[in-house]
Amino acid sequence: MSNDILTMHDVVIDGNGQLIGPLSFAIGTYAFAALIGPSHSGKSSIINAIAHIKPIKSGFLSVCGYTGKNKSQALKAQLGCIFEDSIFPYDLQVKDFRRLMGLIYDTWDANFYSSMLDTFSIDPSLQLASLDADAYLKFECALALSHHPKLLLIDESERLYSHSSRLELFTYIRTLLDNRSLAGALIASRSEMDLITYADQIIQLEKGSIVDSDEIDHCKTPVHASKSSKACEVSIS
Amino acid sequence: MKALILKDLYIMWTHIRWLYIGIVVAVIVLCMSGTINFLFHMVTLTVFLCYAFQVYRSFHYDEESKSDRILRALPLRLQSIVAAKYLFSALLLLHALLISAGILFILSFFIPDGAINIPASLVFGVSVTSLCLVVMLPLLFKYGSDKGGIIYAVLLAIVVFVPLAFRSLHMVMQNIMNAEGLLQISYYLILLVIILILGLISYRISYCIMRSKFSS
């Protein structure tokens, strides 16, 4: 259990009136996991529970080693979040966040943020409103990772990011996990497209329950080196 | 908390020219309307309410961008999230006070004995706007910018347009201004303490509202 970045045991969540769970699963350290399911299957509620945005009703939840409610702030400092349905103040400039986030996170690395913007070719003087969807996702990625979180949470439950953006994002996450710069990543999505290539674990949800959990064996073919799902062996655990 | 205040200030800054244009237009209209008796009070109130509107706008902006989920994922205490809006409001009041004082100072050159009315008008503006804000903030936290804004507008109409309320407030201000020396300072201090107490009560209510929202 100590090797897991996330552990859920019999967790029940109130997802806007619909009870979700009991859920039990674990995500190992340096693993990339995906929660896949149709609309209203409870993906966003699970992400909210993991990020301590909404409390759980019952069960045991351990995220980055934190279990209690009272350590909520410390836990949140260990998380990086990319939420498709929420946007940052669109009148602000990309460079404004260099200062703003430094006031929120003790571990904020402004130089890392700047270097990520350079990597993604994002002009810091641009307003968020002027960024296209791809550039905005890259900006969010830079923002979510620049305080060096342990666990990255991505929620694209409502609307999928574009195919090219997803590939770029997943490749980047894979690199961070392989370099041990990130201890884990969890994405909630409606589609497993591309994820079968990049993720280590796919958890299928339906009506608030886990219906299937696949661990993808990438031993023979490194995930990030392969663009074809044919190269991956899928074994049901 | 600093980050949230700074965020709201940054957002306000991007639209500051519209705020100033609105104030200038309102002041010109008021000056041309010829109501010399209440001109200074009206000008001050207009400036303060323009600034109070920025508080409403910051809530509306947060809702529009659905930033509450992001906010709740950040390592910020709930107290900080609520207090940030109150401190932002206090900063705006302070800014409105400076801008109003400047406008009234300029107007006093054109209106005979106008300078005498400046302190009373400023106290009037601070008092009315503070009262509006202590009511408006919990409403905005509870109902959001749409419903909260409507309730706020109704309250504002009651305060500003009911002549009795306006006149009685004006009389209170005049009594304060007519008092001398220490008595006047005492009045100011009492008023400040009342505003602070109301602000703290309002903050507590807002905090409870947000706590129940966050835990549901």
Side-chain angles (χ1 to χ4, degrees):
Chain A
M1 193 175 281
S2 60
N3 286 332
D4 295 332
I5 191 79
L6 171 74
T7 309
M8 272 195 178
H9 187 69
D10 287 337
V11 167
V12 176
I13 306 160
D14 184 358
N16 298 325
Q18 178 202 357
L19 279 185
I20 294 155
L23 305 161
S24 297
F25 67 88
I27 298 172
T29 312
Y30 308 118
F32 185 6
L35 288 168
I36 307 292
S39 291
H40 307 295
S41 57
K43 304 180 298 292
S44 293
S45 299
I46 295 170
I47 294 281
N48 285 346
I50 293 167
H52 278 215
I53 292 172
K54 275 197 167 188
I56 59 171
K57 281 185 91 72
S58 62
F60 173 80
L61 173 64
S62 167
V63 187
C64 304
Y66 293 95
T67 51
K69 248 185 187 178
N70 51 348
K71 296 281 173 102
S72 188
Q73 311 311 320
L75 160 70
K76 286 176 180 178
Q78 304 290 335
L79 300 176
C81 298
I82 300 175
F83 298 144
E84 181 275 322
D85 64 343
S86 303
I87 51 172
F88 286 89
Y90 43 79
D91 281 331
L92 300 189
Q93 292 177 317
V94 173
K95 67 180 177 192
D96 292 336
F97 289 87
R98 196 182 146 97
R99 187 166 174 211
L100 283 175
M101 289 304 186
L103 295 168
I104 294 173
Y105 292 104
D106 293 336
T107 52
W108 177 254
D109 188 343
N111 294 329
F112 185 72
Y113 177 63
S114 298
S115 71
M116 278 191 84
L117 293 178
D118 282 345
T119 308
F120 292 142
S121 309
I122 299 174
D123 179 359
S125 63
L126 285 176
Q127 266 192 334
L128 298 196
S130 65
L131 297 178
D132 61 24
D134 282 2
Y136 186 80
L137 177 62
K138 287 170 185 169
F139 153 76
E140 274 194 309
C141 187
L143 209 57
L145 292 168
S146 293
H147 62 282
H148 304 298
K150 282 186 179 170
L151 178 64
L152 180 67
L153 299 173
I154 306 162
D155 189 359
E156 56 162 11
S157 299
E158 297 297 316
R159 189 171 54 86
L160 294 182
Y161 292 115
S162 73
H163 181 64
S164 59
S165 300
R166 291 177 109 227
L167 286 182
E168 207 169 344
L169 178 65
F170 297 162
T171 308
Y172 195 76
I173 291 168
R174 211 52 258 180
T175 310
L176 289 175
L177 290 167
D178 293 346
N179 292 342
R180 305 291 194 254
S181 305
L182 190 65
L186 174 65
I187 180 169
S189 179
R190 280 190 296 174
S191 164
E192 63 179 21
M193 179 185 73
D194 305 321
L195 283 166
I196 200 122
T197 314
Y198 288 88
D200 301 302
Q201 187 178 357
I202 291 182
I203 300 156
Q204 300 274 0
L205 286 166
E206 214 172 284
K207 292 178 183 170
S209 300
I210 295 174
V211 290
D212 204 355
S213 180
D214 303 342
E215 276 183 23
I216 301 165
D217 184 4
H218 296 298
C219 298
K220 291 178 182 172
T221 311
V223 176
H224 55 280
S226 166
K227 293 281 179 189
S228 163
S229 59
K230 281 180 191 171
C232 303
E233 286 184 1
V234 180
S235 61
I236 297 173
S237 61
Chain B
M1 183 164 64
K2 272 189 215 164
L4 298 181
I5 298 170
L6 207 59
K7 176 213 60 161
D8 283 335
L9 288 173
Y10 276 157
I11 292 167
M12 197 187 98
W13 182 250
T14 58
H15 294 93
I16 196 88
R17 63 180 180 279
W18 296 109
L19 175 67
Y20 289 151
I21 289 169
I23 288 171
V24 169
V25 170
V27 169
I28 291 170
V29 169
L30 284 169
C31 289
M32 288 170 74
S33 67
T35 52
I36 296 294
N37 278 349
F38 287 116
L39 179 65
F40 275 38
H41 281 31
M42 290 304 291
V43 166
T44 313
L45 196 59
T46 305
V47 173
F48 272 87
L49 292 180
C50 282
Y51 272 87
F53 182 71
Q54 300 305 310
V55 177
Y56 163 80
R57 216 181 138 266
S58 79
F59 275 86
H60 180 70
Y61 196 99
D62 287 347
E63 279 170 36
E64 209 177 30
S65 59
K66 296 180 184 170
S67 58
D68 64 322
R69 195 175 179 208
I70 294 173
L71 210 60
R72 287 159 76 165
L74 295 173
L76 295 166
R77 293 169 70 204
L78 183 57
Q79 288 97 320
S80 306
I81 294 172
V82 178
K85 287 288 181 200
Y86 278 83
L87 287 175
F88 174 62
S89 307
L91 281 175
L92 291 189
L93 279 183
L94 204 65
H95 201 192
L97 190 71
L98 292 173
I99 296 287
S100 308
I103 294 171
L104 296 186
F105 180 71
I106 294 166
L107 285 179
S108 68
F109 286 107
F110 303 101
I111 294 165
D113 297 330
I116 302 165
N117 285 324
I118 294 177
S121 298
L122 293 178
V123 173
F124 176 76
V126 171
S127 310
V128 174
T129 315
S130 301
L131 280 173
C132 287
L133 284 172
V134 296
V135 176
M136 179 172 81
L137 283 164
L139 289 173
L140 288 170
F141 276 115
K142 173 82 178 167
Y143 299 108
S145 65
D146 287 344
K147 284 184 191 169
I150 292 167
I151 298 167
Y152 169 64
V154 172
L155 280 170
L156 207 63
I158 293 168
V159 172
V160 178
F161 294 112
V162 173
L164 193 66
F166 189 85
R167 194 168 294 161
S168 53
L169 269 170
H170 175 70
M171 292 304 288
V172 171
M173 295 308 140
Q174 281 303 115
N175 287 340
I176 291 172
M177 291 309 121
N178 291 338
E180 285 180 6
L182 275 175
L183 193 62
Q184 198 180 66
I185 294 169
S186 308
Y187 275 137
Y188 282 138
L189 286 175
I190 290 168
L191 204 62
L192 189 69
V193 169
I194 291 171
I195 290 171
L196 280 176
I197 290 170
L198 289 175
L200 286 172
I201 294 169
S202 171
Y203 164 77
R204 189 67 202 163
I205 294 169
S206 298
Y207 172 70
C208 291
I209 289 167
M210 289 305 279
R211 193 177 55 184
S212 83
K213 262 192 183 178
F214 273 37
S215 61
S216 64

